[in-house]
Amino acid sequence: MKHWNEECAVVGVYNVENASILSYYSLFAMQHRGQEASGISASNGSKITTIKNTGLVTKIFTEKRLSKLQGRSSIGHNRYSTAGEDSINDTQPIFARYDLGEMAIAHNGNLTNAKQVRQMLINEGAIFQSHLDTENLIHLIARSKKQSLTDRIIDALGRVDGAYCFVFLSRTKMFAIRDRYGLRPLSLGKIQNQDGSTGYIVASESCAFDLVGAEFVREVKAGEMLIFDGAYSLSDNQPKSIQVFEPKEHPCVFEHVYFARPDSNVFGHNVYKTRKQMGIELAKEHKIEADMVIPVPDSGVAAALGYSKQSGIDFELGLIRNHYVGRTFIEPTQQQRELKVRLKLNPIAELIAGKDIIVIDDSVVRGTTSKQIIKILRQAGAGKIHLLVSSPPTISPCFYGVDTPHKTELICANKSIEEVRKYIGADSLGFLSIDGLMRSLGDENKPMCKACFDEVYIDDFTNDFRSDLTGANPCVSC
C-alpha cells in the first residue's frame, strides 16, 4: 500500500434532460476517487430506477443500461470499498421504498457513531441489507415522525456524527447536504438547458463540471442543505438553502495533499497550485545539493515542479509510471507487492546513473513502497538519493472516510525519521512541516482537519473514544 486510499465520489443532477448521462460523465471524471463500484439512480417524476455494479464506470454503464435511466434528475456514486463485503448490496446509491414514496441516497464520508446507531436500530427491529453505514439514514428517515421529507432528513442527520456529503433523490426532489465540519468537498454548479431553463449539478470535485460543461457557482457550505424542488421559486438561480447545523469548518487537508484531481478547485483553492506551492515550501525547509529533482508519478509531479522552481535544480521525469497496473496492496505476498512496484514504476537509467537525485513524493504510509523505489533507483545507478515528502509524517489513522492502516502499521507513528530513513535506504529523508503545509494553502491559521498529521480529531465522539481504537474506524459508507 503506497498511499492512503481514496474516498468516494458523489454527484447529483437536477432539471436536466437525460440527467443520468451527466451523472455518468461526472462519475467518469471522478473515477480517481473510487474504482471498485459505481451506481446511478434516476427519477422520471413518478419512479426511481437504479443501476449499480462493481467495476469501473465505463464497464458498468453501457449505452443500453443508461437508456433505462430516464428522467430529469439523478444521483450517482463511485465507491472505494474500505470495509464490508465486495457485493452488489454494498454499492451505492441505496434505494428504498417507505411511507412517503421512493428514495435513493449516495454518501461520501464516514459516520463515526454508525455502529452505535446501527445497533440501536437493530434492537428496535430494523433489518439491514448491506454493511454500509449509509443505510442507517434510510431507517432513521423512515422511522422519523416528521411529516415532510425535508424535516425527516434534518431529523435523521441530527442523530449521526462524523463526515458526510449526502445526496438524496426522491421522485420529484433532490437534496444535497454537507456535514458541519465541511470535511469532504461538495460544490454546486448550474447548466443552461436548451429551452432556457436552468439545471443544477452537485459533485465532489469541480473537475466534473468541466467535463459536462457546467458553470461553477460555489461550494456547498458546511452544515448546509440545498433543496432542489420545482415547487420553490429560485432566487438568483440557486436552489433553496437551509443552514441545518452551525458550521465548524475543518475541511480535510489530505484532499490537497493527494486525493483531489489537480485540475479541481477544492476548499477555495486550485489543487495543482497548492501542490506546487507545497514543493516550494519543501525547498525552503530542506535545502539540498543535487543534480536533479524527480517526482514519484503522478501525485508527486506538481510538488517536484515547485521544488525545482524554488531550488533552481533541474526537474526530470526519472521514473515512468505504467498506468495499467492494479493496486499493489491487494496482492497476497510481499514479494508480489514488490514486483508490482517494479511494474508500476520504471527508472530511466541513462538519465539518473551517477547522478545525485532528489525524489519528491506526497506521503509515506507503511514505507514499503518508498523502500522499493529507493532500491530500483540504486540499481539504476543513482548516486545519492534524497527522499523529500510534500506533507508531514502521517502518524494517525483517519476516522472520517479514508481507508488507513492501523496506527501500528504507520511507519512514522512508530519510528523516528532517522529510523525511517535507514529502513527505506535513502541518503536523507525530509518531510514538509505542518506550518509549511498550511502556508501552501495560503493561511497558516486556517482551521482544517490535520488529524493524520497531528492526531487532533475534530469531533467529540472520536476524541472521546479513540483511545479504545487501535486502528482506523473502517469506512463502511464507501
Side-chain angles (χ1 to χ4, degrees):
M1 175 179 177
K2 177 181 184 293
H3 290 296
W4 293 19
N5 300 319
E6 295 91 337
E7 304 138 352
C8 301
V10 296
V11 63
V13 179
Y14 186 81
N15 191 36
V16 176
E17 187 175 0
N18 295 322
S20 61
I21 302 295
L22 267 68
S23 288
Y24 166 81
Y25 282 115
S26 298
L27 293 176
F28 177 81
M30 298 186 292
Q31 187 75 83
H32 60 287
R33 297 185 72 89
Q35 302 89 42
E36 296 199 3
S38 187
I40 295 174
S41 294
S43 175
N44 62 7
S46 60
K47 178 184 178 182
I48 295 175
T49 303
T50 300
I51 293 177
K52 56 185 180 177
N53 211 331
T54 56
L56 300 177
V57 174
T58 53
K59 297 295 184 182
I60 298 169
F61 295 105
T62 62
E63 185 175 352
K64 181 178 180 180
R65 287 173 177 167
L66 282 170
S67 68
K68 297 178 181 179
L69 295 168
Q70 296 294 316
R72 296 183 66 88
S73 59
S74 70
I75 64 173
H77 185 269
N78 282 340
R79 180 192 186 210
Y80 181 92
S81 67
T82 58
E85 304 294 329
D86 183 18
S87 72
I88 192 67
N89 289 336
D90 287 325
T91 62
Q92 296 188 48
I94 296 177
F95 171 79
R97 293 184 178 91
Y98 69 122
D99 61 322
L100 295 184
E102 297 181 346
M103 174 174 52
I105 305 178
H107 173 207
N108 172 29
N110 192 26
L111 304 181
T112 52
N113 67 336
K115 292 180 180 179
Q116 290 74 20
V117 173
R118 186 185 186 98
Q119 189 58 54
M120 178 270 294
L121 289 166
I122 290 173
N123 292 343
E124 293 179 358
I127 298 174
F128 284 79
Q129 302 296 320
S130 76
H131 297 83
L132 305 178
D133 62 5
T134 313
E135 194 175 356
N136 288 348
L137 268 292
I138 291 281
H139 291 284
L140 291 173
I141 290 169
R143 289 163 179 257
S144 173
K145 303 301 182 184
K146 303 295 184 180
Q147 296 301 307
S148 70
L149 178 55
T150 299
D151 290 337
R152 288 193 183 196
I153 292 173
I154 294 172
D155 186 33
L157 292 173
R159 302 177 69 179
V160 299
D161 295 315
Y164 54 79
C165 287
F166 281 112
V167 285
F168 295 83
L169 181 67
S170 72
R171 288 174 293 187
T172 60
K173 302 176 184 178
M174 187 176 80
F175 303 80
I177 306 100
R178 197 167 168 217
D179 69 73
R180 71 191 72 202
Y181 306 106
L183 274 155
R184 301 283 152 246
L186 189 67
S187 294
L188 170 68
K190 63 181 180 179
I191 299 167
Q192 198 64 34
N193 293 318
Q194 291 184 351
D195 62 5
S197 64
T198 301
Y200 300 93
I201 180 171
V202 291
S204 295
E205 290 192 35
S206 62
C207 61
F209 299 167
D210 299 333
L211 183 59
V212 302
E215 177 187 347
F216 175 86
V217 176
R218 63 178 177 86
E219 290 188 346
V220 179
K221 300 173 186 176
E224 180 184 24
M225 177 165 70
L226 299 180
I227 305 173
F228 302 83
D229 181 358
Y232 289 115
S233 58
L234 303 178
S235 59
D236 300 324
N237 282 328
Q238 293 196 31
K240 179 179 176 64
S241 170
I242 299 176
Q243 192 66 41
V244 178
F245 302 109
E246 180 183 354
K248 299 179 180 180
E249 284 197 67
H250 279 78
C252 172
V253 74
F254 224 81
E255 289 285 348
H256 277 280
V257 172
Y258 174 66
F259 293 130
R261 247 174 60 164
D263 52 336
S264 288
N265 293 313
V266 174
F267 309 141
H269 298 281
N270 174 260
V271 175
Y272 175 81
K273 288 185 176 180
T274 57
R275 288 181 186 164
K276 191 172 181 180
Q277 188 62 39
M278 289 173 198
I280 291 173
E281 296 294 336
L282 195 61
K284 293 176 180 177
E285 293 182 359
H286 299 276
K287 296 179 173 63
I288 297 173
E289 292 185 6
D291 297 307
M292 67 181 69
V293 177
I294 68 171
V296 175
D298 290 320
S299 54
V301 171
L305 285 168
Y307 190 96
S308 173
K309 176 183 177 181
Q310 179 66 27
S311 66
I313 301 172
D314 289 343
F315 171 93
E316 298 284 359
L317 291 173
L319 286 166
I320 303 301
R321 181 184 174 189
N322 183 343
H323 290 263
Y324 303 99
V325 179
R327 299 183 192 87
T328 59
F329 68 91
I330 63 175
E331 296 300 328
T333 68
Q334 184 61 31
Q335 183 179 9
Q336 288 171 299
R337 292 190 189 101
E338 292 176 1
L339 174 61
K340 275 208 166 183
V341 173
R342 291 178 173 273
L343 291 173
K344 277 187 174 183
L345 298 171
N346 191 49
I348 303 177
E350 291 80 2
L351 179 67
I352 65 177
K355 301 294 178 62
D356 294 343
I357 59 176
I358 297 171
V359 182
I360 306 291
D361 204 355
D362 60 83
S363 58
V364 173
V365 183
R366 288 189 174 98
T368 52
T369 300
S370 298
K371 184 175 184 177
Q372 283 302 305
I373 290 171
I374 300 301
K375 184 177 180 180
I376 64 175
L377 290 171
R378 294 267 188 227
Q379 292 173 345
K384 291 184 177 180
I385 302 174
H386 308 278
L387 178 62
L388 295 180
V389 182
S390 58
S391 65
T394 54
I395 62 171
S396 302
C398 179
F399 299 89
Y400 306 122
V402 182
D403 181 28
T404 60
H406 283 225
K407 185 165 184 174
T408 56
E409 299 176 274
L410 293 171
I411 190 169
C412 292
N414 298 282
K415 296 179 183 292
S416 68
I417 291 179
E418 175 59 17
E419 289 172 331
V420 176
R421 182 199 68 77
K422 289 180 180 179
Y423 172 78
I424 65 176
D427 291 283
S428 70
L429 172 64
F431 293 84
L432 183 63
S433 67
I434 292 179
D435 287 344
L437 177 62
M438 298 311 297
R439 285 195 298 270
S440 303
L441 293 169
D443 186 357
E444 292 180 71
N445 299 313
K446 183 183 176 85
M448 298 193 79
C449 180
K450 308 181 289 294
C452 48
F453 303 133
D454 62 13
E455 209 168 4
V456 178
Y457 295 99
I458 63 172
D459 69 308
D460 293 337
F461 182 89
T462 306
N463 279 313
D464 288 345
F465 291 97
R466 74 179 190 274
S467 60
D468 298 327
L469 300 168
T470 58
N473 187 21
C475 172
V476 290
S477 50
C478 301

